[in-house]
Amino acid sequence: MAKNVILMIGDGMGWEMSRASAIQISIEAEIAQIRETSPGITNEEIAAHFQGRTLDDYYTQGKGTGTSYQNLSGYVIATTGNTYIDGNKSNSALQHNPRFQPNVFNHNTGQAEVKSGFEFDPSPARVVGFELKSENLNSTTDSIRAGFNEAPVVDANNQILGGNIPIFDLEQGGVTPWDDNYYQNRGNPTPGFNKNYIKNLYPDSAGTATGLYSGVKTYVGAVSVDVYEEAVQTAAEAAQSAGKSIGVVSSVPFNHATPGSAIAHVNHRYKYNPHSFDQKAGNNDGRISNEVDEFGHKIEPRDNIYYQMVNETKPTVVLGGGHYLTNGGTERRPDETYITKAEVKKLRRGKYGYTFIERGQNASQILADTAAQVDPEAGDRLFGLYGARHQGGNLPWRTANDDYSRTGHNLNINPANGAVSIRPPMLKSETMASFIEQEIDANPTLSELTQAALDVLGKDNDGFWLMVEGGDIDWAAHGNDMDNLLGTMKDFDESIATARTWIEQNGGDQENLLIVTADHDHYLTLNDNFPEVLANSLLIGKGGVELTLNPNPVTTAHFWGSDATVKNGWATHTTRPVPVYFQGANAEAIGQFQGSGYQAYGKNVAGVGNFIDQTHLGLAQIEVLGAPVNQTMADPSISIGWQPILILIIIVAIGFISQLKARFKS
């Protein structure tokens, strides 16, 4: 069994995002080589070397080359997706009060009845947007809208047709992420192919992370609970049960969906801390539910990610964003979306047993020095809380040009009309240069966070499980922001290179299993001339930012969405399968699942092509860690529960004792 398992998740890093990054890294390596062999050469002269470069000059299918993780020996493609229950991918199988929005999760996790008559159906879900007849459209706006129609297909009696799993359709969605219908044939696709298919029933990072950690398929928003809102064992918990240390690292808030799902069990991802659900989601009738849930039950103190992390799971290492000074927060008016100022004060005092460090001067050096002193064998634990001011809780934005010039000021692009707004980043007393310099100094990079986590966890003689998330890849893609996408992809790649170096120096592939994947994809398409356009932008243009600001999909050589004439036509996830790169101890545990289906709630779910499903990665990690694999729970809708059984046992016992007494008297 592997001593250590390192799972690295590029949030939203589909095959096309990975290719864009690989092309940039390859171009930059070539530029460096040209400069080395031809001192004094101008940028214009270097740009001429890339004139006419196309995607064919790099790669158009498969694993590809350029990034550090593409050098790993193992490679498969994984289907994603969450469940679809009662006409909604965000529904659990439990009842809810429809006055509240979101419409399920204001109640304490698991404290509601199962929907009447619910029985899990492993057949493919069906929604209106899947139907080809919905493609009879009149305009681009109609096309965008129709591709997002997740209304259920119903029969003449208004009964929902189809099952509870969005099983990927190879005909409509393509046989690979690089299917020709997305590229060379997009003007004349194969009959049956539907360019809008992958927009429907797209998953989220909580439900997919749950699958990646536990092997259990669940709904959008679920944080390591199944569709019945029952906790499922994660790979992190399996590692703990084997006596290993665990850690979570993220470039976005430490209790966001991806890290949160490794260390907690709640029915909604917005339950960051005791106060954040209402702040984030609100209620349909405007009533605050901080005291009681939608059924009138007193809200449990543990029903949030932060509480469970510091009081129950207690990871050895937690490093990420979400500081109360980010997202516009100040000391006087802190932003408490992810953690309250009061809780930060408790951490500073050592209340929860963590060595606590946070954003501030010389953050990188303080992190490295602190990690060197923390010893899990002595019971030590490390919590580092970071984030750049005026960002959403994430680390400073890195751009395609390798600087941090956009730290604190995000571009927000309206996908309908391409309008751009820029958030003001500074106080009146600050200059742009001083603001950026301060924020860079106040926050480590993702690679530095990764190194610190490995320095701590590597001291555990029994081994460890570590998850590292490049979370702002997803944030950049939501903004249709190629500049920040390329920058954050490089941050993620460098963190993987850091992990690989550590592995080589600490037991190699014989003791360590490294897995690199994405939780879901976005809808990015590179045009054939992308390499030439990218090289020109970096060498003689206005830099990567012009690839984002310019609304022309031809001159920027890429577009978001299904319409090649609209630069920013889609700004969220898709169901397109994602790449998985892996290498190391017991790596065969992953490859064995190719083409296989999986079990969900006691039912067999069909496999898709030669893909694996991302739930297989959860099963593989638990297997490699030497812990029992999650057993699918019995369907509560047909369970009689433990109380009647206990009563029956007591009755039988009383009867047996009475008989003994009668015999004794006789």
Side-chain angles (χ1 to χ4, degrees):
M1 297 299 168
K3 179 180 179 181
N4 308 311
V5 174
I6 304 172
L7 173 65
M8 308 191 78
I9 300 174
D11 196 319
M13 186 195 75
W15 182 83
E16 190 69 297
M17 289 77 172
S18 185
R19 178 165 68 156
S21 180
I23 289 172
Q24 180 186 8
I25 291 170
S26 298
I27 287 173
E28 290 180 341
E30 189 173 352
I31 290 172
Q33 185 177 23
I34 291 171
R35 285 181 171 148
E36 183 178 349
T37 57
S38 304
I41 191 171
T42 67
N43 282 355
E44 287 78 9
E45 290 171 328
I46 297 175
H49 284 264
F50 296 94
Q51 191 70 26
R53 289 282 182 92
T54 68
L55 297 175
D56 284 333
D57 293 306
Y58 296 88
Y59 65 94
T60 58
Q61 60 182 337
K63 182 165 68 169
T65 59
T67 67
S68 63
Y69 52 85
Q70 288 169 319
N71 293 325
L72 300 180
S73 58
Y75 181 70
V76 293
I77 300 295
T79 51
T80 65
N82 298 135
T83 54
Y84 185 69
I85 295 173
D86 197 20
N88 193 318
K89 65 186 180 186
S90 298
N91 273 342
S92 74
L94 304 190
Q95 296 176 12
H96 64 274
N97 186 331
R99 293 181 306 153
F100 290 83
Q101 291 294 331
N103 61 0
V104 176
F105 306 102
N106 289 60
H107 58 260
N108 287 301
T109 299
Q111 292 189 10
E113 299 297 321
V114 176
K115 294 176 186 292
S116 177
F118 177 78
E119 182 177 353
F120 192 85
D121 182 351
S123 64
R126 295 180 62 195
V127 298
V128 172
F130 282 14
E131 304 302 302
L132 291 173
K133 62 185 179 183
S134 72
E135 300 302 310
N136 298 321
L137 309 166
N138 298 318
S139 69
T140 298
T141 304
D142 287 343
S143 176
I144 293 172
R145 205 162 28 235
F148 189 55
N149 189 350
E150 296 181 343
V153 176
V154 297
D155 62 18
N157 297 318
N158 208 36
Q159 296 298 306
I160 295 174
L161 299 175
N164 298 129
I165 297 281
I167 299 175
F168 191 77
D169 187 321
L170 295 174
E171 181 181 28
Q172 294 194 66
V175 295
T176 62
W178 53 87
D179 193 290
D180 281 349
N181 286 303
Y182 291 109
Y183 298 98
Q184 294 93 331
N185 297 344
R186 64 176 172 240
N188 185 29
T190 304
F193 178 79
N194 178 358
K195 64 183 179 181
N196 282 320
Y197 170 78
I198 60 173
K199 295 178 180 178
N200 293 280
L201 292 182
Y202 62 82
D204 86 318
S205 296
T208 54
T210 297
L212 283 169
Y213 303 146
S214 70
V216 175
K217 189 70 74 173
T218 191
Y219 59 89
V220 164
V223 174
S224 285
V225 295
D226 62 17
V227 297
Y228 300 104
E229 301 182 24
E230 295 289 336
V232 294
Q233 182 192 41
T234 67
E237 291 165 330
Q240 283 185 319
S241 70
K244 300 177 185 291
S245 292
I246 64 170
V248 289
V249 173
S250 180
S251 61
V252 301
F254 70 95
N255 51 358
H256 218 249
T258 304
S261 296
I263 54 180
H265 305 275
V266 293
N267 60 6
H268 199 283
R269 58 181 291 172
Y270 290 164
K271 292 183 175 180
Y272 304 121
N273 65 53
H275 310 290
S276 54
F277 184 83
D278 283 307
Q279 293 172 357
K280 181 76 173 177
N283 293 314
N284 200 34
D285 60 2
R287 186 165 69 85
I288 300 299
S289 61
N290 283 341
E291 298 300 324
V292 296
D293 70 10
E294 59 187 310
F295 298 107
H297 307 136
K298 184 177 180 180
I299 290 182
E300 296 177 351
R302 70 178 302 275
D303 198 34
N304 62 85
I305 296 168
Y306 175 75
Y307 180 95
Q308 293 182 28
M309 184 195 82
V310 296
N311 291 290
E312 298 175 6
T313 315
K314 300 179 182 179
T316 310
V317 174
V318 179
L319 299 172
H323 197 284
Y324 66 78
L325 290 179
T326 61
N327 208 26
T330 64
E331 289 290 349
R332 178 173 292 184
R333 293 185 176 181
D335 181 271
E336 299 185 324
T337 302
Y338 303 107
I339 190 169
T340 65
K341 185 175 179 180
E343 285 299 317
V344 171
K345 289 181 177 179
K346 292 178 184 178
L347 287 164
R348 289 169 181 160
R349 296 196 302 266
K351 174 176 173 55
Y352 300 107
Y354 279 97
T355 298
F356 180 70
I357 51 179
E358 58 189 304
R359 53 161 285 132
Q361 290 184 342
N362 201 22
S364 296
Q365 190 61 53
I366 290 173
L367 170 64
D369 292 344
T370 305
Q373 301 301 316
V374 173
D375 183 4
E377 288 289 323
D380 299 340
R381 289 180 281 133
L382 176 63
F383 191 146
L385 183 62
Y386 302 100
R389 282 184 295 151
H390 295 284
Q391 293 186 188
N394 58 331
L395 300 182
W397 283 115
R398 181 176 181 174
T399 68
N401 293 66
D402 274 340
D403 60 29
Y404 292 86
S405 59
R406 290 188 43 205
T407 294
H409 54 298
N410 301 341
L411 300 180
N412 298 304
I413 303 175
N414 186 322
N417 58 24
V420 177
S421 62
I422 301 177
R423 184 183 305 171
M426 302 172 295
L427 301 174
K428 291 182 179 179
S429 60
E430 294 175 316
T431 66
M432 177 72 77
S434 68
F435 171 83
I436 292 174
E437 181 180 4
Q438 178 179 341
E439 292 309 301
I440 293 172
D441 185 55
N443 291 279
T445 65
L446 182 61
S447 177
E448 290 167 340
L449 294 179
T450 302
Q451 183 66 61
L454 292 167
D455 287 344
V456 173
L457 297 171
K459 298 170 189 173
D460 190 321
N461 295 326
D462 295 314
F464 63 83
W465 178 89
L466 171 65
M467 189 286 298
V468 177
E469 180 200 21
D472 42 10
I473 297 169
D474 179 65
W475 295 26
H478 277 296
N480 292 165
D481 193 335
M482 179 61 77
D483 187 30
N484 280 348
L485 174 72
L486 291 172
T488 57
M489 285 290 296
K490 290 180 77 172
D491 275 337
F492 185 56
D493 186 49
E494 288 175 6
S495 71
I496 296 166
T498 295
R500 279 297 302 161
T501 299
W502 186 91
I503 287 171
E504 291 166 2
Q505 298 170 352
N506 292 272
D509 292 336
Q510 290 70 42
E511 293 188 359
N512 301 281
L513 174 62
L514 175 62
I515 305 169
V516 179
T517 190
D519 48 357
H520 55 74
D521 198 357
H522 280 260
Y523 209 148
L524 172 66
T525 304
L526 303 182
N527 287 334
D528 198 41
N529 63 333
F530 179 78
E532 177 185 350
V533 169
L534 177 60
N536 283 339
S537 294
L538 297 175
L539 287 164
I540 59 177
K542 296 180 181 178
V545 69
E546 72 176 329
L547 297 176
T548 296
L549 291 175
N550 185 338
N552 190 324
V554 176
T555 55
T556 58
H558 74 279
F559 60 96
W560 301 87
S562 57
D563 190 337
T565 67
V566 178
K567 167 76 176 306
N568 301 312
W570 190 251
T572 192
H573 310 167
T574 69
T575 58
R576 187 156 48 182
V578 298
V580 184
Y581 313 84
F582 58 96
Q583 182 172 314
N586 305 109
E588 66 278 1
I590 296 172
Q592 68 177 338
F593 290 113
Q594 278 191 278
S596 301
Y598 57 92
Q599 281 245 322
Y601 308 97
K603 309 290 180 63
N604 292 321
V605 179
V608 176
N610 200 36
F611 299 157
I612 68 168
D613 187 78
Q614 60 187 183
T615 55
H616 289 135
L617 294 176
L619 299 177
Q621 288 174 81
I622 293 172
E623 176 186 330
V624 166
L625 289 164
V629 173
N630 271 305
Q631 298 297 313
T632 304
M633 62 174 289
D635 187 337
S637 65
I638 58 174
S639 172
I640 63 175
W642 62 269
Q643 295 95 337
I645 295 174
L646 180 59
I647 292 170
L648 180 61
I649 291 172
I650 293 171
I651 291 172
V652 171
I654 291 172
F656 180 70
I657 292 170
S658 298
Q659 288 182 353
L660 285 177
K661 286 182 176 180
R663 288 184 179 181
F664 183 78
K665 287 180 179 179
S666 64

